[in-house]
Amino acid sequence: MSPERFSRISQLLDQRQHDLTLCLESVHKNHNLNALVRTADAVGIHEVHAVWYDQQFRMSRGAAVGTEKWVNVIHHDGLAPALEHFRAQGQQIVVTHLSPQAVDFRSIDYTKPTAIVVGQERRGVTPEMIAAAEHHIMVPMVGMAESLNVSVAAAVILYEAQRQRAAAGCYQRPSLPESERQRVLFEGGHP
Amino acid sequence: MSPERFSRISQLLDQRQHDLTLCLESVHKNHNLNALVRTADAVGIHEVHAVWYDQQFRMSRGAAVGTEKWVNVIHHDGLAPALEHFRAQGQQIVVTHLSPQAVDFRSIDYTKPTAIVVGQERRGVTPEMIAAAEHHIMVPMVGMAESLNVSVAAAVILYEAQRQRAAAGCYQRPSLPESERQRVLFEGGHP
Ligand SMILES: C[S@@+](CC[C@H](N)C(=O)[O-])C[C@H]1O[C@@H](n2cnc3c(N)ncnc32)[C@H](O)[C@@H]1O
Ligand SMILES: C[S@@+](CC[C@H](N)C(=O)[O-])C[C@H]1O[C@@H](n2cnc3c(N)ncnc32)[C@H](O)[C@@H]1O
């Protein structure tokens, strides 16, 4: 690996936000999966979780072209294992939900360990996921459209998290476990 | 038209931001056009401009299903008429450009009359558009992906504009010309 590449990957790893994650509940269009993983990568998310209820829709390997090597996509069969994972990591579960009970997405403290959940293109998030979440948020809208595209909604929320974390100095504090750091550096050197 | 529908449309029109616009330079994938127009609608943009250099890619009428009635999409053959329009409106031209000269998108004052320009999925914005713009901005990225999806980048910027404008009370000050208001109320009552 060239010194330039080593230093680029090293810098990337220093800025990864180990305690921030994005959870996709049955999101299944390839252009959305691709956009979502790219955005996650761009704000320093190292691990994206995908929850599936239907094997048919499992993310096809090629979906997130270009970045999947740099963002780990973890697949779960159903909700329980995903929730278990977030809880084991001490992450607050923040679910996007277009309801009157939802609060403005900017009112959440994203510097805490957080899993942000977005839902399926047509049906949105499941009632079970809503019940499991600590916070229900929405991105305000003043027009006639009833919802935003899922990649768009996720990006607006993730960049609010980025803003808060940048202000709190989180990108200056490496948080990735050393073993994961070594694994990525090793694999990144062997394309 | 029912009183509920009248009041919903009326409220929408009160919140429209007459002096904020989004300009799409040769963006041509339907899922992006759809997401972009939905996002524009959601932050109160009343007019989206599409610049075309190639007739083949002109936005298909069905692209922005559901909201096109509520957001005017104005098509331009080439750059000159679009620039002329923005200048006649006294709008600053803010172009997204992934270059070292670009400033952080949050450093711009979007409460001023503004046209935000995003570029084509593959090639980005044209050198001519870059030369015409007052400001070059970018959304910061800390990962390995080289760019964001165009709908994602636009949404992140538009919601920064929404944040600034909400803080400045712009959504409390109706700005749409009365003639346009009447037109939309009339057409909105006849679906
Ligand atoms: C197209 S929406 C699904 C709409 C579905 N009919 C519903 O009512 O939930 C797909 C996903 O995008 C996200 N989303 C869309 N608009 C949003 C908004 N304004 N605020 C927060 N999330 C949003 C949510 O994650 C949602 O589950
Ligand atoms: C996929 S990008 C085009 C990439 C192209 N190779 C380039 O270098 O411009 C398509 C459009 O998305 C927008 N975009 C993508 N990432 C961006 C970022 N980080 N900041 C600002 N705009 C971005 C820009 O409008 C860009 O023209």
Side-chain angles (χ1 to χ4, degrees):
Chain A
M1 174 156 45
S2 73
E4 292 75 24
R5 186 170 171 85
F6 181 85
S7 112
R8 171 140 194 233
I9 301 178
S10 211
Q11 209 180 15
L12 163 115
L13 294 171
D14 283 347
Q15 298 189 81
R16 280 318 203 204
Q17 304 293 301
H18 190 54
D19 60 352
L20 179 66
T21 190
L22 176 65
C23 175
L24 315 176
E25 209 190 9
S26 298
V27 174
H28 70 266
K29 290 190 181 167
N30 271 8
H31 62 81
N32 283 329
L33 292 167
N34 179 290
L36 286 160
V37 175
R38 264 159 92 187
T39 308
D41 175 69
V43 299
I45 287 179
H46 195 63
E47 215 174 84
V48 167
H49 293 262
V51 175
W52 302 103
Y53 301 100
D54 179 339
Q55 291 308 318
Q56 190 193 337
F57 284 134
R58 261 200 180 239
M59 188 188 265
S60 66
R61 259 208 55 79
V65 186
T67 49
E68 54 185 326
K69 182 167 167 181
W70 307 101
V71 173
N72 298 332
V73 180
I74 303 188
H75 301 272
H76 300 279
D77 288 324
L79 193 56
L83 292 178
E84 204 171 300
H85 179 92
F86 302 142
R87 289 187 180 133
Q89 304 283 316
Q91 293 171 346
Q92 60 178 346
I93 301 174
V94 177
V95 73
T96 52
H97 183 215
L98 309 175
S99 85
Q101 286 78 52
V103 299
D104 188 288
F105 74 106
R106 294 191 180 103
S107 66
I108 301 294
D109 180 357
Y110 299 99
T111 63
K112 292 185 185 165
T114 303
I116 297 163
V117 187
V118 295
Q120 212 235 12
E121 286 87 348
R122 204 173 287 267
R123 282 170 291 144
V125 289
T126 61
E128 293 74 24
M129 183 65 95
I130 293 167
E134 276 89 45
H135 298 283
H136 303 167
I137 58 167
M138 68 176 301
V139 178
M141 304 173 71
V142 299
M144 290 300 274
E146 275 169 14
S147 65
L148 297 166
N149 162 276
V150 61
S151 320
V152 158
V156 170
I157 297 162
L158 288 177
Y159 269 94
E160 170 61 15
Q162 180 270 348
R163 190 191 65 75
Q164 293 184 11
R165 284 178 172 246
C170 300
Y171 293 98
Q172 263 90 57
R173 284 193 296 273
S175 68
L176 221 54
E178 190 54 30
S179 56
E180 176 59 7
R181 200 187 160 81
Q182 290 305 328
R183 185 193 67 78
V184 178
L185 275 172
F186 180 79
E187 291 181 10
H190 302 75
Chain B
M1 172 158 45
S2 72
E4 292 73 26
R5 188 169 170 84
F6 181 86
S7 113
R8 171 142 195 230
I9 301 178
S10 214
Q11 210 181 14
L12 162 115
L13 294 170
D14 283 348
Q15 300 189 80
R16 280 319 204 205
Q17 304 293 302
H18 190 54
D19 59 352
L20 179 66
T21 191
L22 176 66
C23 176
L24 316 177
E25 210 188 9
S26 297
V27 174
H28 70 267
K29 290 190 183 167
N30 273 7
H31 63 81
N32 283 329
L33 292 168
N34 179 291
L36 287 160
V37 175
R38 264 160 91 189
T39 308
D41 175 69
V43 299
I45 287 179
H46 195 63
E47 216 174 83
V48 167
H49 293 262
V51 175
W52 302 104
Y53 301 99
D54 181 338
Q55 292 307 317
Q56 189 195 335
F57 283 134
R58 261 199 181 241
M59 188 190 267
S60 65
R61 259 208 51 79
V65 186
T67 49
E68 53 183 329
K69 183 168 168 182
W70 307 103
V71 174
N72 298 331
V73 181
I74 303 187
H75 301 272
H76 300 279
D77 287 324
L79 192 57
L83 292 178
E84 205 171 297
H85 178 93
F86 302 141
R87 287 184 182 136
Q89 305 284 316
Q91 292 171 346
Q92 59 178 345
I93 301 173
V94 177
V95 74
T96 51
H97 184 215
L98 308 174
S99 85
Q101 286 79 52
V103 299
D104 188 288
F105 74 106
R106 293 190 181 105
S107 66
I108 301 295
D109 179 357
Y110 299 100
T111 63
K112 291 185 184 166
T114 303
I116 297 164
V117 186
V118 294
Q120 213 235 10
E121 287 87 348
R122 203 171 287 267
R123 282 170 291 145
V125 288
T126 62
E128 292 74 23
M129 184 65 96
I130 293 167
E134 276 88 45
H135 299 283
H136 303 168
I137 57 168
M138 70 178 298
V139 178
M141 303 173 71
V142 298
M144 290 301 273
E146 276 170 14
S147 65
L148 297 167
N149 163 275
V150 62
S151 319
V152 158
V156 170
I157 297 162
L158 288 177
Y159 269 93
E160 170 62 14
Q162 180 270 348
R163 191 191 64 76
Q164 293 184 11
R165 284 178 172 246
C170 300
Y171 292 98
Q172 263 89 57
R173 282 191 298 273
S175 69
L176 221 54
E178 190 53 30
S179 57
E180 176 61 6
R181 199 186 160 80
Q182 290 306 327
R183 184 191 69 76
V184 177
L185 274 173
F186 179 79
E187 291 182 8
H190 301 74

